[in-house]
Amino acid sequence: MPDKPKVAFYWCASCGGCEEAVVDLAEDILKVVEAVDIVLWPVAMDFKKTDVEARSDKSIVAAFINGAIRTSEQEEWVRLLRRKSQVVVSFGACANSGGIPALANQFKKEDILKFVYEDAPGIDNPKKTRPQLESQDEGRTLTLPELRAMVRSLDQVIDVDYYLPGCPPTPKIIMAAVGALLSGKLPTRGAVLSPDVALCEECPRKDSKPADLALTEFKRPHQVQIDPEKCLLAQGLICMGPATRGGCEALCPAGNMACTGCFGPTSRVKDQGAKFVSSVFSNIVSKEEKEIDSVLDGIPDPIGTFYRYGLSKCLLRRKLN
Amino acid sequence: MNKNSESVPSGKGESLPSRHGGPMPAEPKIVAFFCNWCTYTAADLAGVSRLKYAPNVRVIRVMCSGRVDPQFVLDAFARGADGVLLGGCHPGDCHYAEGNYKTLRRMRMLARMLKDMGIHDGRFRLEWISGAEGDKVKAVVNDMTAKVRALGPLNMPDRFKEWDKEMVHAR
């Protein structure tokens, strides 16, 4: 019997939701397991780093890597997987563009460590102990990976062949990607494996989006009874649809929630947050600076709102501080 | 503005050789987007009127200030601009009726975002300059150049390299 293609799954700075997405394939996962040999999947199977190191280079057909790159250990792992794999698929928003972890790029490493180990409510750490790269315990030397000063997307550390967007990617686009890989019908290298159109195109509320949104205020979801039929932007909610790639079939707007942008931008966009500002904010009604400013006050955290899943890929990459 | 701006070395292209052979302080680079109908015409007027102003702006002519996507501003900073200046027609005077209002709304938001990203507000400026205001081009460019010079180089390209040095195999 010929060898089945070998596939690896790995996670870096992530929440586990991308692993959950693989399990969400439901019965389809049996087809995947039938077609491939999984040689690494830390969340579900017991393989060690040495098992991967022992493989010959390029012997893994595809590595699906989720999570942002935050520590020295993650850098080491993804470089190892790059060496051993023919194809690397950046899996999910964190790997693609930093995701939620990349919001930490608004803070200095020292401030993060100080808050977490000294100032956070409920912390009991009178000696102000912090993780050390190396420490001694009963004559043994213990080591820990280093926390990097900033959060990176996977392609800021290694070369990436394909991207699966989403927080997490939907079962449908995962299966389409696996199908393309197994059949050898691969798109152009570097492609994002999801339709290259704005989310609004597949939103059930599309027809209620007016040509001019005529925005007079921005509301947060808890401040408004959301109309389940009408365009969310037209209701004054920040919906990232116009600056976000489709492919999720508008799951959130269909569930009466505004899009938060997890599929990242389309191929024509360099910076998702700036593009969102370009497309939506010109639709404020007022022509007066002060009135415009008071409308903008309805968005208390612009960076966290427009770059919720993509601060690593903001053209400025991080806050200067 | 922040400690980093002093700790990061300036780019190779930034220090100009002085007549005496020693390095001169880096000259600020300002990218300016001027609209075809008003501010660019004003810059032309400044030229034919032989008004002298700081040579630090690189002017890009756009048909309307409304053409300037906030991405252009971030891209200019990311590629090494120390300041970005936007010039459009006065409110009510836009050749396309509403373009400058769209610009105003977008740029009020962008200014907040730049502040949140730690970019000093002196590095980004929106001005309304009509075709008759050659002297205002001179005043604005000189004033902005002086302010950006005082802030020091922003130098994002070198910062990016500096940030990536923490990786074992920096790319």
Side-chain angles (χ1 to χ4, degrees):
Chain A
M1 198 180 102
D3 275 357
K4 289 193 275 186
K6 294 179 174 46
V7 167
F9 294 95
Y10 193 68
W11 53 3
C12 296
S14 64
C15 67
C18 283
E19 313 291 341
E20 194 64 44
V22 177
V23 178
D24 275 350
L25 294 175
E27 290 83 6
D28 278 349
I29 198 158
L30 299 173
K31 292 184 208 160
V32 177
V33 172
E34 214 165 82
V36 302
D37 258 342
I38 298 173
V39 296
L40 173 75
W41 194 11
V43 76
M45 300 166 84
D46 189 16
F47 290 106
K48 305 289 184 221
K49 196 175 173 194
T50 45
D51 299 326
V52 180
E53 284 167 336
R55 298 195 166 277
S56 51
D57 286 1
K58 305 287 174 208
S59 63
I60 299 172
V61 169
F64 294 86
I65 303 177
N66 72 70
I69 311 300
R70 188 29 147 170
T71 68
S72 54
E73 184 208 23
Q74 289 157 357
E75 276 170 40
E76 213 174 292
W77 259 103
V78 300
R79 274 196 302 274
L80 172 66
L81 286 168
R82 175 71 272 186
R83 205 162 64 238
K84 301 295 177 188
S85 311
Q86 293 163 28
V87 168
V88 167
V89 180
S90 176
F91 191 102
C94 297
N96 289 359
S97 54
I100 300 285
L103 292 171
N105 283 358
Q106 294 173 94
F107 306 93
K108 277 189 273 193
K109 175 175 155 181
E110 168 57 27
D111 292 349
I112 293 170
L113 289 171
K114 184 166 183 301
F115 179 82
V116 171
Y117 291 100
E118 294 172 32
D119 302 339
I123 280 287
D124 181 18
N125 183 12
K127 287 185 182 165
K128 299 185 178 182
T129 307
R130 290 201 190 167
Q132 301 299 312
L133 295 184
E134 221 179 271
S135 54
Q136 299 296 324
D137 181 63
E138 295 174 9
R140 293 167 303 178
T141 302
L142 308 177
T143 60
L144 279 176
E146 185 184 35
L147 184 76
R148 295 302 194 205
M150 61 192 284
V151 179
R152 292 180 172 82
S153 62
L154 183 61
D155 65 4
Q156 285 169 346
V157 181
I158 60 166
D159 287 330
V160 164
D161 299 294
Y162 300 104
Y163 300 82
L164 267 170
C167 182
T170 56
K172 194 174 169 180
I173 67 165
I174 297 172
M175 275 317 284
V178 171
L181 272 170
L182 293 178
S183 66
K185 287 178 190 146
L186 290 166
T188 326
R189 195 173 169 274
V192 179
L193 305 176
S194 193
D196 199 9
V197 292
L199 177 67
C200 297
E201 287 301 312
E202 55 189 43
C203 181
R205 300 169 191 243
K206 185 187 172 193
D207 293 340
S208 63
K209 187 182 178 195
D212 182 358
L213 291 166
L215 299 162
T216 51
E217 65 174 324
F218 287 108
K219 298 178 200 113
R220 298 170 75 190
H222 65 276
Q223 297 168 321
V224 60
Q225 188 76 39
I226 303 174
D227 180 332
E229 311 279 330
K230 196 177 163 197
C231 170
L232 291 149
L233 278 164
Q235 298 184 55
L237 291 149
I238 291 288
C239 179
M240 291 290 288
T244 301
R245 180 185 287 262
C248 64
E249 297 167 310
L251 283 175
C252 295
N256 220 20
M257 270 290 293
C259 169
T260 51
C262 74
F263 264 52
T266 61
S267 63
R268 277 90 59 200
V269 173
K270 276 185 138 181
D271 186 298
Q272 189 181 14
K275 193 69 215 178
F276 183 75
V277 172
S278 184
S279 84
V280 168
F281 286 80
S282 51
N283 290 277
I284 294 172
V285 170
S286 176
K287 297 175 174 178
E288 300 298 325
E289 228 169 88
K290 275 196 181 141
E291 282 174 26
I292 295 169
D293 284 349
S294 71
V295 174
L296 299 182
D297 287 342
I299 304 162
D301 177 18
I303 299 299
T305 308
F306 309 145
Y307 295 102
R308 184 163 305 166
Y309 305 91
L311 197 51
S312 292
K313 283 292 179 72
C314 169
L315 287 167
L316 302 174
R317 293 187 58 185
R318 67 159 303 140
K319 181 176 180 178
L320 307 180
N321 48 20
Chain B
M1 111 199 219
N2 58 53
K3 280 177 233 152
N4 281 359
S5 59
E6 277 112 58
S7 64
V8 173
S10 59
K12 275 181 196 162
E14 282 219 343
S15 46
L16 304 167
S18 79
R19 278 176 218 166
H20 312 290
M24 257 170 44
E27 275 294 314
K29 284 193 287 265
I30 298 172
V31 172
F33 297 97
F34 285 172
C35 90
N36 180 59
W37 304 99
C38 291
T39 313
Y40 195 87
T41 312
D44 257 354
L45 178 63
V48 295
S49 312
R50 305 228 168 186
L51 298 178
K52 280 187 184 164
Y53 57 86
N56 302 67
V57 287
R58 276 76 163 161
V59 180
I60 296 170
R61 175 159 64 163
V62 288
M63 288 308 284
C64 177
S65 61
R67 176 64 186 92
V68 181
D69 188 315
Q71 291 183 110
F72 299 176
V73 178
L74 298 189
D75 211 13
F77 283 126
R79 291 174 188 228
D82 299 303
V84 178
L85 170 63
L86 229 73
C89 308
H90 283 274
D93 288 349
C94 177
H95 188 77
Y96 307 101
E98 295 269 327
N100 53 359
Y101 292 123
K102 292 182 194 295
T103 303
L104 175 64
R105 297 163 188 146
R106 290 177 181 134
M107 299 308 159
R108 294 304 288 177
M109 185 75 247
L110 181 68
R112 290 179 182 215
M113 291 159 69
L114 287 172
K115 185 170 169 262
D116 286 354
M117 291 298 277
I119 306 268
H120 193 282
D121 60 8
R123 295 191 186 275
F124 174 62
R125 189 157 166 174
L126 172 62
E127 288 284 348
W128 309 133
I129 305 177
S130 83
E133 294 177 312
D135 52 339
K136 192 170 175 184
V137 170
K138 171 182 168 165
V140 166
V141 168
N142 283 345
D143 182 64
M144 186 165 177
T145 303
K147 284 182 177 149
V148 170
R149 179 178 282 117
L151 290 171
L154 180 63
N155 210 352
M156 295 304 294
D158 278 4
R159 283 176 199 261
F160 295 154
K161 280 182 211 150
E162 198 63 35
W163 293 343
D164 281 344
K165 279 185 188 161
E166 68 173 347
M167 284 193 285
V168 176
H169 298 280
R171 274 148 64 89

